[in-house]
């Protein structure tokens, strides 16, 4: 199994085709990418933070994640979602529209609009299993974006220094998380005091910088364990941990189970997260 799925999700920018999947208990560490992301919550509740703003998305609601928006997802109890990632290069006509504008709303409550978008997303998910780059998928995506642009006002993009800073920090951490890092050393790298730097990071990302670094390391360890490359201790140390006690505590915090248990249940959970639920005919 490739470790790419555990890499920082800016790697999605290398993908030229859209992707769709059903997700059970959707959650992810803070990240960003240039692709447009849509999430339809089929049931339950999913919590999201977009550029520091909190959203509680209920069943039947739609969440739009604009390009280069730092976002993270959490499921407090249970959620079932349908996720769509669209590279803007795949839709050049809309790429021009969204180049200098964003949707003015991220959380959509319009029930009829959401149902129609979800129907198109579900159809794309079904078609993807047979022909990933079919003309039909491209057509459904244009319908989805047409529905959104007709019903949700667009507004000019605003460039905020803190947003750009956080994206740069996340890129830096993705490239350096295996090294010895501290709040002070990272703050110095970006020319901020430790207190100011910590405030900006917590506000936009929703966790401390140490929690985020440990999450990156844990995902790297998870990939190595699933590949069977190394023992738990070897994987933890190579990912940047210098204490097994810290590693086990961080792994439990990120995944909710021990490393050995994670390996045991991964295949079943992965199938639930990343493949269509064929027993469900409606979103």
């Amino acid at each position: 199994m490739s470790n790419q799925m555990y890499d920082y999700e800016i790697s999605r920018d290398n993908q030229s085709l859209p992707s769709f999947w059903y997700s059970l208990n959707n959650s992810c560490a803070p990240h960003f990418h240039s692709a447009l992301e849509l999430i339809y919550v089929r049931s339950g509740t999913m919590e999201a933070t977009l550029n520091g703003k909190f959203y509680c998305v209920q069943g039947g609601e739609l969440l739009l994640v604009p390009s280069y928006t730092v976002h993270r997802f959490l499921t407090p109890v249970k959620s079932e979602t349908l996720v769509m990632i669209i590279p803007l290069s795949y839709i050049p006509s809309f790429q021009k529209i969204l180049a200098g504008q964003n949707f003015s709303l991220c959380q959509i409550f319009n029930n009829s609009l959401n149902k129609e978008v979800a129907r198109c997303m579900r159809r794309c998910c079904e078609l993807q299993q047979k022909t990933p780059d079919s003309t039909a998928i491209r057509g459904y995506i244009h319908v989805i974006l047409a529905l959104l642009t007709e019903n949700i006002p667009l507004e000019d993009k605003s460039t905020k220094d803190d947003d750009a800073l956080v994206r740069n920090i996340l890129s830096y951490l993705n490239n350096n998380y295996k090294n010895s890092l501290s709040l002070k050393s990272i703050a110095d790298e970006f020319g901020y005091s430790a207190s100011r730097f910590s405030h900006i990071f917590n506000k936009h990302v929703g966790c401390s910088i140490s929690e985020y670094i440990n999450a990156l390391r844990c995902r790297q360890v998870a990939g190595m364990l699933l590949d069977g490359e190394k023992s738990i201790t070897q994987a933890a140390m190579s990912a940047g941990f210098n204490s097994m006690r810290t590693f086990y505590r961080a792994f439990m915090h990120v995944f909710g189970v021990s490393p050995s248990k994670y390996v045991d249940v991964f295949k079943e959970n992965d199938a639930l997260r990343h493949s269509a639920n064929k027993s469900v005919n409606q979103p």
Side-chain angles (χ1 to χ4, degrees):
M1 182 179 295
S2 169
N3 283 339
Q4 184 177 1
M5 65 180 294
Y6 301 96
D7 290 344
Y8 182 47
E9 286 202 28
I10 198 170
S11 61
R12 288 196 182 278
D13 288 348
N14 296 324
Q15 300 177 9
S16 59
L17 297 179
S19 54
F20 314 84
W21 67 89
Y22 290 90
S23 177
L24 179 65
N25 298 333
N26 196 359
S27 65
C28 65
H31 63 282
F32 69 92
H33 40 69
S34 66
L36 178 66
E37 184 167 353
L38 277 72
I39 299 177
Y40 176 74
V41 178
R42 299 165 65 209
S43 65
T45 301
M46 186 192 77
E47 297 178 349
T49 303
L50 277 58
N51 279 350
K53 185 175 181 179
F54 177 79
Y55 297 87
C56 183
V57 192
Q58 307 284 345
E61 296 173 0
L62 186 70
L63 184 73
L64 305 181
V65 183
S67 300
Y68 297 112
T69 298
V70 176
H71 55 286
R72 75 178 304 193
F73 306 134
L74 293 172
T75 293
V77 180
K78 183 178 181 181
S79 70
E80 295 183 5
T81 60
L82 179 53
V83 183
M84 176 173 73
I85 305 286
I86 312 174
L88 294 184
S89 60
Y90 187 78
I91 45 168
S93 58
F94 285 97
Q95 184 177 25
K96 294 178 181 178
I97 296 173
L98 298 175
Q101 294 181 300
N102 274 332
F103 292 104
S104 59
L105 298 174
C106 288
Q107 187 173 3
I108 313 303
F109 302 99
N110 185 323
N111 188 53
S112 59
L113 171 63
N114 292 348
K115 282 187 175 181
E116 187 62 23
V117 170
R119 185 187 70 81
C120 294
M121 291 172 66
R122 180 172 57 85
R123 185 61 181 139
C124 287
C125 200
E126 296 167 354
L127 290 168
Q128 181 180 239
Q129 308 303 315
K130 302 176 182 178
T131 313
D133 190 22
S134 72
T135 302
I137 288 179
R138 196 178 295 269
Y140 276 113
I141 289 177
H142 277 80
V143 170
I144 289 171
L145 293 175
L147 287 169
L148 294 176
T149 53
E150 288 175 0
N151 287 275
I152 303 171
L154 294 171
E155 60 183 10
D156 291 339
K157 290 183 178 179
S158 60
T159 302
K160 297 181 180 178
D161 291 341
D162 283 357
D163 292 348
L165 171 64
V166 172
R167 290 196 292 268
N168 290 336
I169 293 170
L170 296 185
S171 295
Y172 175 82
L173 294 179
N174 180 67
N175 293 326
N176 293 278
Y177 68 88
K178 294 182 182 180
N179 301 329
S180 178
L181 297 171
S182 68
L183 173 60
K184 185 179 185 307
S185 68
I186 302 169
D188 288 345
E189 176 73 22
F190 288 90
Y192 283 80
S193 67
S195 60
R196 174 59 179 163
F197 187 86
S198 178
H199 173 76
I200 293 173
F201 191 88
N202 275 272
K203 176 183 177 182
H204 283 258
V205 178
C207 65
S208 70
I209 198 159
S210 61
E211 288 177 317
Y212 183 74
I213 292 170
N214 283 340
L216 288 176
R217 291 170 174 169
C218 285
R219 282 168 172 75
Q220 177 66 21
V221 172
M224 289 188 283
L225 294 180
L226 291 173
D227 281 344
E229 296 176 354
K230 299 181 179 181
S231 69
I232 293 176
T233 300
Q234 290 172 330
M237 294 302 172
S238 66
F241 286 101
N242 53 23
S243 163
M244 290 305 294
R245 181 180 179 182
T246 300
F247 162 69
Y248 279 110
R249 186 167 60 244
F251 199 95
M252 283 292 297
H253 179 72
V254 172
F255 293 106
V257 295
S258 67
S260 56
K261 181 67 173 178
Y262 175 85
V263 174
D264 290 339
V265 303
F266 176 81
K267 289 185 178 179
E268 177 183 356
N269 288 343
D270 188 58
L272 288 170
R273 284 195 303 269
H274 299 293
S275 64
N277 184 347
K278 297 182 180 179
S279 66
V280 179
N281 294 322
Q282 297 295 329

